[in-house]
Amino acid sequence: MSDIIQLLPDSVANQIAAGEVIQRPASVIKELVENAVDAGAKNIQVIVVDAGRTLIQVIDDGKGMSETDARLSFERHATSKIRSADDLFCLHTMGFRGEALASIAAVAQIVLKTRLHTEEIGTSITIAGSKVISQEPVSCPAGSNFSIENLFFNVPARRKFLKSNATELNNILSAFERIVLVYPDIKFTLHSNGTELFHLNAGSLRQRIIDVFGKKLNQDLLPVDVETTMGKIYGFVGKPEAAKKKGAHQYFFVNGRFMRHPYFHKAVQMAFERLVPTGDQVPYFIYMEVPAEDIDVNIHPTKTEIKFENEQTLWQILTAAVRDAIGKFHDVPIIDFNTEGKPDIPVFREHSGEMPTMPKVDYDPQYNPFKESQHHSHKVTRNWEKLYEGVLTRKQHEQTLFETTKETAPEDIFSDKSPAHYQYKGQYIMTAVKSGLMVIDQHRAHVRILYERYMNKDTANVLPTQKVLFPEVVQLPPSQQVIMEHVLPEMQRIGFDIVPLGGGSYGVNGIPAGIEGLQITALVQQMVAEAAEQRSVNSTDIGHAIADCLARNAAIPVGQVLNNDEMDDIVNNLFQCTNVNYTPDGKVILNILKHDDIEVLFR
């Protein structure tokens, strides 16, 4: 039998490795910018064309490379960051695997121009599909200049599955933000198709956050700073009033590296427990500095998953630090009301001349926990099974009292509807129908009504625009400005009058009629954030996200008292919708308590 196992060619092995390291254009920018940071650059420029499909260029003024290093840097597992396996547990650089440049070279056409500060002539090397095309001396500035053209040109399947330019550019901006937030002492610029999206000068950490996400965030930041033997935790958390349902900026960094850590995220959320509504997210920018030997970043090629040796201790320190920041800077007192049974600790007043008395503790000297007492004894009940007779059958019966109308036609439910309605606890509308008693959630019903009204493409049914007396100004970060270009036409279709003012600012001159009283700035930001979560940027998906968000905010709230005419209007409009049973996000709107089940309750 012939041998069938063979070594793969280097070009194939590099393409396989690229599948893990280089997933999209944003991955290329992350790797190249991190290499520039490791090279000691103080000025880094990033240029992209067509969201990185056509060109990605990263220019830095770092230490540069020699002729030999420039050639060797594109080999797999060639790196200047580590020398032995022990170095993996004391990393002080962003990169260390030696896979990034080899993976990029396997799926793109690269031109590298680099020069050492001590040399007068640099090196230019051209690589396509892991093959060196040319290498020659060249005159260039000190540092490195990487030009990545035609990404995935030799892997058409990978290029085909790239998302739209808007989605890929949004991913690039997200990766870029995670790096610039760690290094406020480095100047960064980012250009897309000739337009400058970021121009970040070196400065303080707070100034960098403001430059990236807008000046309005400045007033909502509370500083966090604590240093222990386990490490140092510093940064900023948002005030409770800065909480959002969608689009909150939440970042964790450890030793200058962005990470995802649900466990630490929960620690921050617990510090805001009972201060923000359930489900709202508070912005935070938390930086941790711990000994390099106490963490392991060599888990995944993207290096966003990090294991901590003292994870539980850091969790407690983080929670205490965030709570301290809230209490110190936001006047949220921590009061312990549970003082019953605790000793009375007297206060010593130096000038009063009175000596403090001994604390008094009340106790029962006759109490003996091992002594039998008839007062505390319990008689064992025999034939206990009789106590639970009928419980299971009743529970099963209660579960079938209300049945959703999945297979019942709306016209069958609506027949013989009572003209009178009853509102229960400001949340449910109860009305008699042919099959029994119908219970409708008034908020969810109104959400469905408004959603279908906003989604209706017929211009005759679109709500008119209500001009505002004082226009509102909405400030969006560059990552959301890309989405806003696709969101704006859909928002204008449903009645918003929004005009771009430049610099990420948008003026709201008009709103859809009927939503007066809402916080327009927060509403627009939430709509853009929810549209950004869609997998595509086509008008249908964005229109769905905007209509759903606006309907949930504009619908009548739980607890609002309605008269009979208002309830009748909701019921009538609901049964004109295409789906009367569920909200756009799948929540049940109505249930039917059947007549036969009502009679069973009174037997």
Side-chain angles (χ1 to χ4, degrees):
M1 183 177 180
S2 60
D3 299 331
I4 59 175
I5 297 178
Q6 59 182 352
L7 290 174
L8 291 174
D10 289 341
S11 59
V12 178
N14 288 338
Q15 287 189 15
I16 295 174
E20 282 288 329
V21 182
I22 308 302
Q23 301 173 354
R24 54 183 1 121
S27 305
V28 177
I29 291 177
K30 171 185 177 296
E31 299 293 345
L32 294 181
V33 175
E34 286 181 352
N35 283 345
V37 171
D38 289 339
K42 292 300 179 182
N43 293 277
I44 301 176
Q45 304 177 48
V46 179
I47 301 171
V48 297
V49 177
D50 296 334
R53 298 171 189 265
T54 304
L55 172 68
I56 298 173
Q57 190 172 8
V58 177
I59 307 171
D60 68 75
D61 60 352
K63 60 182 65 175
M65 289 181 282
S66 65
E67 181 180 359
T68 303
D69 286 346
R71 179 70 174 264
L72 190 59
S73 64
F74 291 97
E75 297 294 331
R76 287 193 68 194
H77 310 305
T79 178
S80 62
K81 315 296 175 61
I82 62 175
R83 289 291 181 266
S84 65
D86 294 337
D87 295 338
L88 291 173
F89 302 99
C90 55
L91 292 169
H92 299 280
T93 57
M94 299 294 288
F96 57 88
R97 289 175 176 270
E99 294 180 336
L101 292 181
S103 298
I104 297 172
V107 293
Q109 299 168 344
I110 301 180
V111 177
L112 167 62
K113 296 180 181 179
T114 182
R115 177 172 73 87
L116 293 170
H117 286 264
T118 56
E119 301 289 338
E120 295 183 359
I121 299 296
T123 300
S124 175
I125 182 170
T126 303
I127 299 179
S130 297
K131 296 181 180 179
V132 178
I133 306 301
S134 65
Q135 183 173 358
E136 56 189 6
V138 69
S139 176
C140 62
S144 300
N145 184 341
F146 285 89
S147 295
I148 315 298
E149 298 181 352
N150 301 324
L151 186 64
F152 300 129
F153 78 101
N154 56 347
V155 192
R158 294 287 302 278
R159 188 176 180 90
K160 176 183 178 181
F161 284 99
L162 288 177
K163 304 298 182 182
S164 64
N165 283 357
T167 302
E168 295 299 339
L169 181 57
N170 190 43
N171 290 322
I172 289 173
L173 294 174
S174 297
F176 186 78
E177 289 170 354
R178 294 169 183 173
I179 298 175
V180 301
L181 289 173
V182 184
Y183 301 99
D185 56 332
I186 300 178
K187 179 182 178 180
F188 291 91
T189 59
L190 174 63
H191 292 77
S192 174
N193 294 338
T195 302
E196 185 178 72
L197 300 182
F198 280 108
H199 186 96
L200 307 172
N201 293 317
S204 64
L205 176 59
R206 190 184 192 110
Q207 186 61 47
R208 175 57 56 88
I209 294 174
I210 295 170
D211 290 343
V212 174
F213 298 111
K215 297 180 180 178
K216 188 176 180 181
L217 187 61
N218 185 32
Q219 61 188 4
D220 295 328
L221 294 179
L222 302 176
V224 176
D225 192 5
V226 62
E227 188 168 1
T228 67
T229 56
M230 295 293 178
K232 182 179 180 181
I233 298 177
Y234 64 96
F236 300 92
V237 295
K239 295 179 180 179
E241 54 264 32
K244 300 179 180 178
K245 292 189 179 296
K246 299 284 185 179
H249 307 298
Q250 298 176 331
Y251 294 89
F252 274 118
F253 304 94
V254 57
N255 293 358
R257 191 186 304 276
F258 171 80
M259 69 171 178
R260 304 180 187 275
H261 209 293
Y263 188 54
F264 289 157
H265 169 76
K266 185 178 180 180
V268 178
Q269 291 299 119
M270 283 190 64
F272 285 90
E273 193 175 13
R274 300 180 183 177
L275 296 178
V276 299
T278 304
D280 282 14
Q281 302 291 323
V282 178
Y284 57 77
F285 306 86
I286 303 295
Y287 298 78
M288 296 183 179
E289 292 183 2
V290 299
E293 58 271 15
D294 290 347
I295 61 174
D296 184 8
V297 301
N298 190 26
I299 298 175
H300 192 272
T302 58
K303 309 182 189 80
T304 58
E305 300 177 14
I306 299 177
K307 289 188 177 296
F308 288 78
E309 183 178 350
N310 303 308
E311 190 174 70
Q312 188 173 2
T313 304
L314 288 173
W315 190 92
Q316 296 173 347
I317 297 173
L318 176 60
T319 304
V322 175
R323 284 178 175 171
D324 181 66
I326 301 170
K328 183 183 298 184
F329 298 99
H330 200 61
D331 297 329
V332 180
I334 301 177
I335 303 176
D336 187 5
F337 292 97
N338 188 18
T339 58
E340 183 179 356
K342 293 185 178 180
D344 181 21
I345 301 177
V347 179
F348 175 67
R349 296 178 175 84
E350 183 178 0
H351 302 289
S352 64
E354 298 179 1
M355 293 300 294
T357 58
M358 292 293 292
K360 296 180 180 180
V361 179
D362 295 330
Y363 66 97
D364 184 6
Q366 303 298 326
Y367 175 72
N368 186 349
F370 301 100
K371 183 179 180 181
E372 294 184 359
S373 174
Q374 294 182 357
H375 178 72
H376 295 286
S377 63
H378 296 279
K379 186 177 181 180
V380 179
T381 303
R382 300 184 182 276
N383 299 325
W384 57 269
E385 295 88 351
K386 295 182 179 180
L387 297 176
Y388 298 93
E389 288 182 356
V391 173
L392 183 60
T393 56
R394 180 173 179 83
K395 183 178 181 181
Q396 292 175 341
H397 175 67
E398 290 176 349
Q399 292 177 345
T400 58
L401 288 182
F402 288 95
E403 295 184 0
T404 55
T405 56
K406 293 180 180 178
E407 300 181 0
T408 308
E411 53 271 15
D412 296 336
I413 304 174
F414 205 56
S415 60
D416 297 337
K417 176 182 70 69
S418 173
H421 310 282
Y422 173 74
Q423 187 181 30
Y424 176 69
K425 291 190 175 182
Q427 183 175 0
Y428 300 104
I429 298 174
M430 307 178 70
T431 184
V433 292
K434 182 178 180 180
S435 57
L437 181 64
M438 180 170 61
V439 183
I440 301 174
D441 188 305
Q442 66 183 36
H443 172 75
R444 296 179 181 179
H446 201 206
V447 169
R448 167 55 67 178
I449 295 168
L450 293 179
Y451 169 79
E452 297 207 0
R453 187 179 303 173
Y454 297 144
M455 286 297 292
N456 196 331
K457 297 294 183 181
D458 186 2
T459 56
N461 293 328
V462 174
L463 289 177
T465 300
Q466 174 67 48
K467 294 293 183 180
V468 296
L469 185 60
F470 300 102
E472 300 271 359
V473 177
V474 180
Q475 183 72 32
L476 298 177
S479 57
Q480 292 187 346
Q481 294 174 31
V482 177
I483 301 299
M484 188 62 171
E485 296 178 1
H486 301 271
V487 172
L488 194 55
E490 290 296 319
M491 296 182 68
Q492 292 172 341
R493 184 186 63 79
I494 62 177
F496 280 94
D497 182 6
I498 300 180
V499 293
L501 303 177
S505 298
Y506 297 84
V508 183
N509 300 320
I511 58 177
I515 68 169
E516 296 83 359
L518 297 179
Q519 295 183 356
I520 302 304
T521 302
L523 176 60
V524 173
Q525 292 174 338
Q526 182 182 349
M527 294 169 70
V528 175
E530 294 199 8
E533 294 181 354
Q534 300 298 313
R535 295 184 177 180
S536 63
V537 292
N538 61 64
S539 59
T540 302
D541 293 339
I542 290 180
H544 164 79
I546 291 176
D548 186 21
C549 178
L550 183 58
R552 283 187 278 107
N553 284 273
I556 54 177
V558 174
Q560 180 171 329
V561 179
L562 305 175
N563 57 39
N564 192 75
D565 291 339
E566 292 171 334
M567 289 187 286
D568 192 61
D569 186 57
I570 290 178
V571 174
N572 292 334
N573 288 329
L574 174 64
F575 280 88
Q576 293 178 5
C577 296
T578 57
N579 189 337
V580 302
N581 296 308
Y582 299 100
T583 60
D585 54 353
K587 295 179 180 178
V588 177
I589 296 176
L590 61 86
N591 276 284
I592 300 292
L593 178 59
K594 294 184 177 181
H595 180 73
D596 295 340
D597 294 327
I598 296 177
E599 289 186 343
V600 171
L601 296 175
F602 293 95
R603 288 178 182 175

